[in-house]
Amino acid sequence: MSTSEQKPGLSAYWMPYTANRNFKASPRMLVSAEGMHYRDDAGNAILDGTAGLWCVPLGHGNQRIVSAVQQSVATLDYAPSFQLGHPSAFELAERLKAYTGNRFGHVFYTGSGSESVDTALKIALAYHRVRGNATRTRLIGRERGYHGVGFGGMSVGGIGGNRKTFSTALIAGVDHLPHTHNLEKNAFTKGEPEVGANLADELERLVALHDASNIAAVIVEPVAGSTGVLVPPKGYLKRLRELCTKHGILLIFDEVITGFGRLTTPFAFDYFDVEPDIVTTAKGLTNGVVPMGAVFVKKEIHDAFMEGPAGIELFHGYTYSGHPLACAAGLASLDSFEQDGVLDNAKAVADYFQEAAHSLRGLPHVIDIRTIGLIAGIELSSIEGKIGARAYDAFVRAFNDGILIRVTGDIIALSPPLIINRQQIDELFGKLGAILKTLA
């Protein structure tokens, strides 16, 4: 459809990660949200099966956050973060430090997950440099990894579609570990699959190829979300931690999706009992209310920068680092996590949620179901020559039937707000199951 054929008032907005012509021919417009539901412009309630875009773990319209942001914007709408500060930025950093169990000593603020990843990569490179190991410049990502859309994140990321258009502009000196998805041996797994821990040993091959003295960091998602819920095999992350420690390589966990309760624990490093050196976060940090990201670093990494000459220790930052409204939202979000029993509810319904997901096994076109925490990935067989078409059809039908799901290729990903109850789980999977039975 040409621009002139689009519905009035829709042409100016170039939408992200969207088939713009298809959407503007038949828009799906959200106009309000509360609790577990969106409401569209026709007044229909849409059960949120994806926590927005993985980023609303506390549900919509959380009154703690609404009030905190309203008060903040009326008091301090903006404050520069270069050579100046404001109290809530420091308060939030201390609260976040405590929320990690004091395992990470310092917090660097960003405006998004993509910015958090690029920040973490820059910190890793600069850390080795200030310690006199300037040859450690190589970065290791993983196939099917998603680390945002900055040039750094796309470079360490392993999604072909994200890399194709900008291939000549991606940063040099990047290699990739193999992904861990094994449909043949690990299909229909609840929790961590049995097969694949040995894939972490591929890091030894890369060390032999490049030499450890040239490798700065390895970055992985503890659970890959955007490529369809890829759960790490048992022992995989622990082995990766052992090898990084052995070779003096920093380990970065991209917890933009898994951070703030998605696995029923504060962070994935809690769930898997594996401590990285650097953690990237965003999304659930502010419940999606105000864009914000944060990078957690170990104390020894931060302190290495503080031992150099006086002056600016790291030439990096953003206009909106530590924005007052975002800090207010972050503080209120932490209050909800700590006082409203959110993780208790997530733990209480997690098994029920996962069993409901696996109940879809045997329905037409379903070739795998994988679950962990409050995440489910339902993989469908693809229509020949039309990868993604079947899942996209399910997405449209689901919206029209009052549930919001997310699709990537022919994988349906579900990650509802952590406040979901059993009745809503029944509705979500009941409607999705009915839709799967009708797909061509």
Side-chain angles (χ1 to χ4, degrees):
M1 172 174 285
S2 68
T3 302
S4 62
E5 295 176 281
Q6 294 170 357
K7 295 182 182 297
L10 301 182
S11 63
Y13 177 26
W14 190 347
M15 301 172 68
Y17 274 112
T18 299
N20 277 251
R21 289 164 292 181
N22 288 350
F23 176 89
K24 291 172 184 179
S26 183
R28 294 171 293 276
M29 304 292 279
L30 304 174
V31 298
S32 66
E34 182 178 2
M36 280 294 303
H37 293 84
Y38 283 105
R39 195 165 294 278
D40 69 11
D41 55 354
N44 301 307
I46 311 294
L47 178 64
D48 185 359
T50 63
L53 198 58
W54 306 90
C55 58
V56 189
L58 302 172
H60 300 277
N62 180 289
Q63 283 304 306
R64 288 183 187 272
I65 305 173
V66 171
S67 297
V69 172
Q70 287 174 334
Q71 182 177 353
S72 178
V73 74
T75 305
L76 182 66
D77 56 352
Y78 174 77
S81 56
F82 298 178
Q83 308 292 355
L84 295 167
H86 62 91
S88 61
F90 293 91
E91 181 185 357
L92 178 59
E94 292 292 338
R95 291 280 302 279
L96 290 170
K97 174 184 172 182
Y99 200 60
T100 72
N102 293 310
R103 284 168 287 186
F104 296 85
H106 300 274
V107 178
F108 194 105
Y109 293 123
T110 71
S112 67
S114 292
E115 290 181 4
S116 288
V117 167
D118 279 17
T119 296
L121 298 178
K122 291 174 79 171
I123 288 174
L125 293 170
Y127 166 74
H128 288 297
R129 188 176 187 86
V130 299
R131 295 183 72 236
N133 298 320
T135 61
R136 285 189 180 264
T137 59
R138 184 168 292 275
L139 302 167
I140 307 296
R142 187 168 60 185
E143 295 170 353
R144 294 187 69 168
Y146 177 71
H147 302 292
V149 294
F151 280 107
M154 283 194 299
S155 298
V156 295
I159 301 178
N162 287 1
R163 299 168 61 89
K164 179 179 178 181
T165 302
F166 309 104
S167 59
T168 59
L170 300 181
I171 62 176
V174 175
D175 215 326
H176 291 80
L177 295 165
H179 66 75
T180 62
H181 185 39
N182 189 325
L183 191 58
E184 179 183 356
K185 297 182 178 180
N186 290 329
F188 299 100
T189 296
K190 181 181 177 182
E192 299 164 80
E194 295 289 339
V195 177
N198 60 299
L199 292 170
D201 289 323
E202 284 294 303
L203 182 57
E204 291 279 33
R205 180 182 64 80
L206 295 179
V207 168
L209 176 64
H210 301 298
D211 196 85
S213 65
N214 293 316
I215 302 175
V218 170
I219 181 170
V220 295
E221 299 161 277
V223 177
S226 294
T227 53
V229 186
L230 308 184
V231 182
K234 291 178 179 178
Y236 173 87
L237 293 174
K238 286 186 181 293
R239 180 58 176 158
L240 206 56
R241 172 69 276 179
E242 292 170 1
L243 293 175
C244 286
T245 300
K246 172 184 175 182
H247 295 293
I249 299 168
L250 295 179
L251 178 60
I252 304 170
F253 273 7
D254 184 344
E255 293 224 35
V256 170
I257 282 176
T258 54
F260 300 98
R262 183 48 53 193
L263 302 186
T264 73
T265 53
F267 300 96
F269 62 75
D270 296 301
Y271 185 94
F272 294 110
D273 191 26
V274 178
E275 280 192 27
D277 302 293
I278 301 174
V279 179
T280 66
T281 69
K283 294 191 184 292
L285 171 58
T286 62
N287 204 45
V289 175
V290 181
M292 189 184 209
V295 179
F296 307 154
V297 301
K298 291 286 190 178
K299 183 178 185 298
E300 55 267 27
I301 294 176
H302 166 271
D303 288 354
F305 289 89
M306 302 303 129
E307 295 170 358
I312 295 173
E313 297 91 3
L314 179 65
F315 286 86
H316 178 66
Y318 303 98
T319 299
Y320 300 110
S321 291
H323 193 285
L325 271 63
C327 289
L331 287 165
S333 294
L334 285 178
D335 286 342
S336 282
F337 275 113
E338 293 170 350
Q339 299 174 33
D340 296 343
V342 176
L343 294 188
D344 291 337
N345 183 73
K347 291 173 183 176
V349 301
D351 282 344
Y352 191 83
F353 173 85
Q354 293 186 39
E355 290 298 332
H358 283 277
S359 73
L360 303 181
R361 183 174 182 173
L363 293 186
H365 314 300
V366 175
I367 60 174
D368 189 22
I369 298 170
R370 37 197 183 267
T371 58
I372 189 169
L374 281 186
I375 315 177
I378 299 105
E379 186 162 353
L380 309 179
S381 59
S382 298
I383 299 171
E384 186 174 356
K386 296 181 179 180
I387 294 176
R390 179 166 282 144
Y392 181 76
D393 185 19
F395 165 75
V396 174
R397 294 189 190 202
F399 186 87
N400 292 336
D401 201 23
I403 59 172
L404 182 63
I405 65 175
R406 188 173 188 275
V407 298
T408 175
D410 276 306
I411 301 166
I412 296 169
L414 298 172
S415 56
L418 307 181
I419 63 171
I420 194 170
N421 61 36
R422 292 191 174 205
Q423 180 179 354
Q424 291 159 343
I425 291 171
D426 289 343
E427 179 186 353
L428 178 62
F429 286 102
K431 287 184 175 181
L432 179 57
I435 289 165
L436 292 176
K437 293 175 183 178
T438 65
L439 293 180

